[in-house]
Amino acid sequence: MPAAAVAELPVSLFKGPVEPDWCPGCGDFGVLNALKKAVAKLGIQPKDLMVVSGIGCSSNLPGFIHSYGVHSLHGRSVPVAQGVKLANHAMTVVITGGDGDGYGIGLGHFVHAVRRNIDILYIVMDNQIYGLTTGQASPTTCKGDKTKSTPTGNPEAPINPCALALVSGGTWVGRGFSGDPNGLADLMAQGIEHRGFALLDVFSPCVTYNMNNTYPWFRPRVYNLQKEGHDTSDRVAAVKRAFEWGDRIPLGIFYKEESIPLDAIEPALKKGPLVQQPLRTSPEIQKELMLEFM
Amino acid sequence: MPAAAVAELPVSLFKGPVEPDWCPGCGDFGVLNALKKAVAKLGIQPKDLMVVSGIGCSSNLPGFIHSYGVHSLHGRSVPVAQGVKLANHAMTVVITGGDGDGYGIGLGHFVHAVRRNIDILYIVMDNQIYGLTTGQASPTTCKGDKTKSTPTGNPEAPINPCALALVSGGTWVGRGFSGDPNGLADLMAQGIEHRGFALLDVFSPCVTYNMNNTYPWFRPRVYNLQKEGHDTSDRVAAVKRAFEWGDRIPLGIFYKEESIPLDAIEPALKKGPLVQQPLRTSPEIQKELMLEFM
Amino acid sequence: MPEFTLGVGGAAGEGIASVGDILGKTAARLGLHMFTYNSYQSVIRGGHVWLRLRISDKKVENHGDILTIVIALNQDTADKHTAEIDPGGRLLFNADKVRVDEKALKDGARALPIPVAELLAPFGKVEAISQNTVLLGAAMHLAEIEFATVEDVIRGMFGRKGEALAKQNIEMCRAGYSYAQKNFEPLGLAWKFSRKGRMMITGNEAFSLGAVAAGCRFYSAYPMTPASGILFWMARNGAKCGIVVRQPEDELSVINMAIGAGHTGVRAMCATSGGGFALMTEAVGMAGMLEAPVVCINVMRAGPSTGVPTKTEQADLNQVYGASQGDFPRVILAPRDLLECFDTIPEAFNLAEKYQLPVLIISDLLLSEHRESLDPEALKWDVPIERGAVFPGSSNGQNGFKRYALTENGVSPRSYPGTPGGEHVAATDEHDEQGILISDVFTNPPMRKKMVEKRGRKMEHLAKELPAPVIQGPAKADVTLVGWGSNQGVMREAAEILRGEGVSTNLLVVKYLHPFHTKEVTAILKKAKFTICVEQNFSGQFERHLRAETGLSVDGHIRRYDGEPMEPRQVANEVKEVVHAGSRRR
Amino acid sequence: MPEFTLGVGGAAGEGIASVGDILGKTAARLGLHMFTYNSYQSVIRGGHVWLRLRISDKKVENHGDILTIVIALNQDTADKHTAEIDPGGRLLFNADKVRVDEKALKDGARALPIPVAELLAPFGKVEAISQNTVLLGAAMHLAEIEFATVEDVIRGMFGRKGEALAKQNIEMCRAGYSYAQKNFEPLGLAWKFSRKGRMMITGNEAFSLGAVAAGCRFYSAYPMTPASGILFWMARNGAKCGIVVRQPEDELSVINMAIGAGHTGVRAMCATSGGGFALMTEAVGMAGMLEAPVVCINVMRAGPSTGVPTKTEQADLNQVYGASQGDFPRVILAPRDLLECFDTIPEAFNLAEKYQLPVLIISDLLLSEHRESLDPEALKWDVPIERGAVFPGSSNGQNGFKRYALTENGVSPRSYPGTPGGEHVAATDEHDEQGILISDVFTNPPMRKKMVEKRGRKMEHLAKELPAPVIQGPAKADVTLVGWGSNQGVMREAAEILRGEGVSTNLLVVKYLHPFHTKEVTAILKKAKFTICVEQNFSGQFERHLRAETGLSVDGHIRRYDGEPMEPRQVANEVKEVVHAGSRRR
Ligand SMILES: Cc1ncc(C[n+]2csc(CCOP(=O)(O)OP(=O)(O)O)c2C)c(N)n1
Ligand SMILES: Cc1ncc(C[n+]2csc(CCOP(=O)(O)OP(=O)(O)O)c2C)c(N)n1
Ligand code: SF4
Ligand code: SF4
Ligand SMILES: [Mg+2]
Ligand SMILES: [Mg+2]
């Protein structure tokens, strides 16, 4: 991603063609604003930004930012984004989606993308509910919570996305809160600058269907890891922090390490972005390929 | 599972209708033998045992044991088995499969099954390779290893199945080695007796396609957790152990806790196995249901 | 024949559905017939929601194409629908918020402002959404619906806990009603209320009740519009009906769980929409190979891909027909009306278990989500339950049970897991009679051939059981409309309109898509003078299916694919155009 | 016309493939033609592997149905195949291990024991597998294949590093050769070696080379027989051809990655078999809606479900045709021979990019895995590369680029991500010209209709580009064989046999399955006297497709579904039976 320092851009440059149609007060507004701020600050041109999403309220985000975007299938944003990045690794690729999209139907792709470590920032608007389909339990819905699909309380334990990324070799794992827009923008900028696959789980309350994990519920509970001297190079310590839930819930960077992303070692990308490579192979190579069969 | 103590059965009772067609020396023989031993010891009748698998060399196992079995689709053994268990929770349900099947294409199902905690033992014959399709990299193939699909070395980091189960709320997580048949049978018996979803990852070398993780490679490296005073009630300590790889590789039980499996709290199962429930609803309930619409 | 259609429009979240529910339920209780269709968008708040509720004293099978009363909850609705109101119709609106362009009204239609704020003043500070109840009250007066029954319905909706709330709502509604009584003439519908209590129910709810009647014991689903209604019903009512209800991580898991449960001996069902069904296809083939019974509903919405999730279409036939690789037996059923939603589920389970195969049901947003009145006596709870050949068990504890015995009709007795002496492995690899793989070690071509044929034979036998299609309407007619599934409701009324206009019309609406009644349908079509295929998609998937199964092409077609359901008058008019064009062509 | 067919049989792991490779390559180098088909099982060691290699001095397009020389590497092979050897043929076997029942031999066929242990004695302790090389040597003598060229081939196979090993193998081979020279008469084939060097290549390898010629830059796949050959080739050669090759976690990821790459402006391809394709179907619909180019190959194997993974079948047509919900444009191509495997890839990419849609290629185990000789000059590396309409960029950095502009031919210029001024979101929800969703807030039925029609128009224009099908053989004939894809090879030879026997026969083999040449095919079939559909499946999927597209039914059919490919003589005989039965019916 941007190697040399570049000039900041105005946030307004990223204003999308239509206004977001989220419910008033939805956490996703904060995520959208923070993302615009982050890319503006990093000086990434709209043409060089690709925002990929799945399906869900949160996954509508690419429609609300001026840049390239793919609004793909429910659960498939992660493979689509990896294909985009490998095809043109000069672009900044950001995935934006929901907890159902990424941790439910898309869980396999997510964990494998972490270990594959292609240079992408994955932002999950984790509202612990299926918003767009009007309020069923998601994989991060707390045990016992009542939803439309669990009217007598959810019997399943939630997954722990940050811990999953941490034990799968994640090279950058963080958590934000859409109630803290500046902190969030800052985390996004760091996640984009990180070379490798970065997971940013964001508490982005659904004000319509999740009456448990609301802004007022989060506010007194969240604290900043970086303010408590957490060692971001200690994976086990990071897992321990990721287990924290209840009275104290950590935000910030759990773990980071220098990494060489897959797109930096892939042999076919050595000569530059794939999309810029000529389509013809040389007659020498053609001959070599044929000779193998003779 | 069997509440009262029952008589052991002869292992020969579980002899399947055909001889296994695995390559001579394949680790899966050890797993098959250990499984027969475990169920014989626990006194589970063949009719009460259901072995579910996906597709792969390892997934051929149900064909080689006398019991009920479903040899399902590549990657789908886990949901099929959950359906079986919910339909008849009086049966002992064991899933047997491979690393590609369970941790590759089936990863999402695996992690979600862990958090769902239905009473099943999941045995993965982890040979760190795709055997049946003749030797491609699997999700547990080590970084740098050469395979048919990675002739210049695998650029992706392996996943850590035990750690994944541990951070997803796993209530019983263990690891065995087919080079230690007695230890393996014992782990299987414990995994079956555990009430909840139990993951047993088993090093089961592929002698044909994996020349890195061989019996001689494992033997000097493996050690027994239980012999080193590991605290199986400490989840974070278990994660730390699961990270160990290289000179010292732990076997045994990483973590266990008392749990109430989902099949024990599911309201529709309170009256006994679903398959034994009558199919008609009472006229009172029918009336009640219709009245809701009037 | 008194009848009217009410349209209620506003943004999502403005309480449009509850207006429809209260009025619809009231009508059903009074013994009237109703049909409602809600046109909404894939957005949680905002957008333009437009619900049409048709009420009549004879049975109605679609939302019609008239518009008698419009309740405009916002300006948008007034702007969009004022001009659509029939002559003689009425536009009700909140005089404080909405401005109406009276010039847009048709002759004889009238705009009736309601001073909502004034009427709500006695209630103190209330939520903005309350306007819907006031306007509903006014509409009740216009439509001459008895207020006492409305009171009952509202009370019933809030339940015991909500008595205070119910009371407030009733009074708000009465405020609107009384205001209208004082100021406006009613429509003069001259109802005769039979007071025969009817249910008001959606297609998805009818599927759910059908599942209960069938003895379904396992339901799994992942949320997806327009199939989610079944999941909602099941989540609320499953436990009391003895049904295990699970929402797993994705549709792959959904159907694989259901097949696992079905294989184990319980009746298992799942449902989804097109995109979710795409993910299920591999497992449909598995059910075919394992010979495991499973019932799966694909509720179509406007595609392709995510498409228009809240709009209706009939374009998943190719997908369902072609689901999964290879040749294997499957059944495809397309219920044609609300009652068939109920009846089809026990039928599907009987076929699935007797023939040990996947039964795929095709519905669509229109059929699954519309609300309609239904006689409670019409629901046949006491359906026959046929479970097919089941191995009773034996003391033989050895290998050798022939799960896939080669039989004359292709059906081999199943052994539910747990049955002594019936131990076997059900495998997706090709296998012999015992279930032992023949893909390994020695691929046995003669056995392979026998197994393919055995599975194939099931279809021949099954086909004989299915009721043959019949012509609806006069045996001979100038025009024969041909269609499938949910379009029946609009096709029947279109035919009636056409007959009223002197164009003799009958119709053939197919429910049994596969296996297909090739002989019977061929006979019908060969006799027909002019055939028109009516379907809700772009490419004519059913028309092609018909040709594939019979070799016959229709003379013309009517297709709609903008997401909105067809309307009877529109279809009738198009039929005339098509016939005109077709006869010129000849 | 000298020709012979060698059969080599043994257990998996006994080196059967290498016998075929050495002899096949040698023949190709000498300027002969060859075709080999390996019949194996889904097991890593053991089983019965049976490879047939047909060598001729004229082009051969199938493995034939003669059997001249058999090499029995184990007892099983001798037991199974002794009786199948043609009169005049030879059975070579290891005298130390295998017993032959001479009575089973046909008249004039002979069993020739080779004292393998004795011949290998000079080499010291060698692996058991070495018997294959000795027996191969003996076969070379019988078939009069020049030993010097065999030497070259073996040396080439072991490469520079394996010189010592190569030498040992050559000497082992020579031991068998010399022994046979001394003891047995050769077959008397009287070859004339042109020494025109030919390639020996599989269909999967031809697909791979075709991808290179097309400028494919991204290949993703998850291992699945019989498509894995492409992945193996790509993994080994991708980097040097500038192709990114990835094996992700499953087929869902495979195709979604490829679509992401294709959307971004590189030519992206993926391949799988039926079960994997089932998982890909949802994304095929996504490509249709995003209007993203992607090429995907479904290499069929015997189904349903896991089926018989190492056996051939043509039963995925329904699946590919019906892949994904809704109506959207797609192209389906079925290459009919080895060279078309190569040619079809550039063609597919041109269509995919010019019309911005998914192009689905159907192959099968027979076509993809068989090895055949091929003239290197036949490979057209310099194919036209047509990328379709691409937005060049502009300085306008605002919203407003019309990615989905409504155009006459339905194609809207793409903007590769990274292009200034072309920013837009490609969405799977229905959208307007700019790509803004029309599923939210206000569903816009007129725009929805326009977009469905725009996508639909692409197919009409595309259809005009595709070469029309032609009759092969005489223009008029008593029998017209109709088929598709890989069956062409066997159908052509069957027709030749029939013509030789006085039954005038021609054939129509369809490559362009969708869009379909309805007009042209109808004209051909209407002119035909007696049509027989030949396909490798149970239900007649192509026969039904044909009827769906033309309304025409064939007069008879020949189907095989035991997993083994058809053979020309078998087909010719069945044709006569079908004609006989059919004309009696008439
Ligand atoms: C294959 C498939 N299954 C189901 C759906 C229906 N669906 C759309 S959004 C969604 C859930 C969204 O939840 P989440 O990702 O948490 O997003 P949110 O709306 O909460 O932001 C579902 C199940 C779909 N579009 N595709
Ligand atoms: C959907 C699908 N994709 C691919 C395959 C092909 N396939 C069969 S087994 C296998 C891998 C098996 O690996 P693993 O699970 O590790 O088992 P092993 O053979 O190593 O025991 C694959 C990819 C398949 N059967 N189905
Ligand atoms: S439903 Fe929830 S997640 Fe969706 S827009 Fe509304 S508040 Fe946001
Ligand atoms: S290939 Fe490997 S995993 Fe498969 S049977 Fe042989 S040794 Fe076992
Ligand atoms: Mg969510
Ligand atoms: Mg493996």
Side-chain angles (χ1 to χ4, degrees), chain A residues 22-23 26 28 57 127 131-132 205-209, chain C residues 44:
Chain A
W22 293 309
C23 306
C26 175
D28 298 350
C57 292
N127 55 15
L132 191 60
C206 170
V207 297
T208 303
Y209 295 113
Chain C
I44 301 302

Side-chain angles (χ1 to χ4, degrees), chain C residues 169-290:
Chain C
N169 271 274
I170 290 167
E171 291 315 317
M172 287 175 177
C173 192
R174 195 193 309 279
Y177 188 79
S178 308
Y179 179 83
Q181 261 186 326
K182 271 180 232 131
N183 296 285
F184 313 131
E185 277 295 295
L187 291 171
L189 292 163
W191 300 112
K192 284 198 204 85
F193 299 129
S194 72
R195 295 184 197 276
K196 170 190 178 0
R198 292 207 163 84
M199 299 161 69
M200 175 181 78
I201 180 172
T202 67
N204 277 340
E205 289 160 346
F207 280 133
S208 305
L209 294 185
V212 174
C216 172
R217 286 286 157 269
F218 186 90
Y219 182 76
S220 50
Y222 186 78
M224 190 158 191
T225 308
S228 301
I230 309 177
L231 176 60
F232 294 149
W233 192 93
M234 288 285 181
R236 266 185 295 125
N237 300 289
K240 80 171 152 230
C241 302
I243 303 176
V244 169
V245 182
R246 298 262 22 101
Q247 176 200 307
E249 58 278 10
D250 59 19
E251 289 89 351
L252 297 163
S253 194
V254 163
I255 190 164
N256 281 285
M257 274 193 186
I259 292 170
H263 172 78
T264 305
V266 307
R267 295 194 144 189
M269 180 168 103
C270 58
T272 183
S273 186
F277 188 82
L279 294 172
M280 293 184 174
T281 57
E282 192 193 9
V284 171
M286 170 167 86
M289 192 62 152
L290 297 182

Side-chain angles (χ1 to χ4, degrees), chain C residues 42 47-48 303 306-307 313 315 319 321 325-327 428 430 440-441 448 453 539 541 544-545 547-549 561, chain D residues 42 47-48 303 306-307 313 315 319 321 325-327 428 430 440-441 448 453 539 541 544-545 547-549 561:
Chain C
S42 189
H48 176 56
T306 311
E313 195 165 84
Q319 160 163 286
Y321 185 85
Q325 73 275 18
D327 279 319
T428 59
E430 190 61 279
D440 286 18
V441 189
R448 156 74 181 168
E453 289 163 357
S539 73
Q541 298 196 355
R544 183 179 184 278
H545 185 67
R547 190 161 47 244
E549 298 294 331
Y561 42 86
Chain D
S42 189
H48 175 57
T306 311
E313 197 165 83
Q319 161 163 285
Y321 185 84
Q325 73 276 18
D327 279 319
T428 59
E430 189 61 278
D440 288 18
V441 188
R448 156 74 180 168
E453 289 163 357
S539 73
Q541 298 196 355
R544 182 178 185 277
H545 186 67
R547 190 160 48 245
E549 298 295 331
Y561 43 86

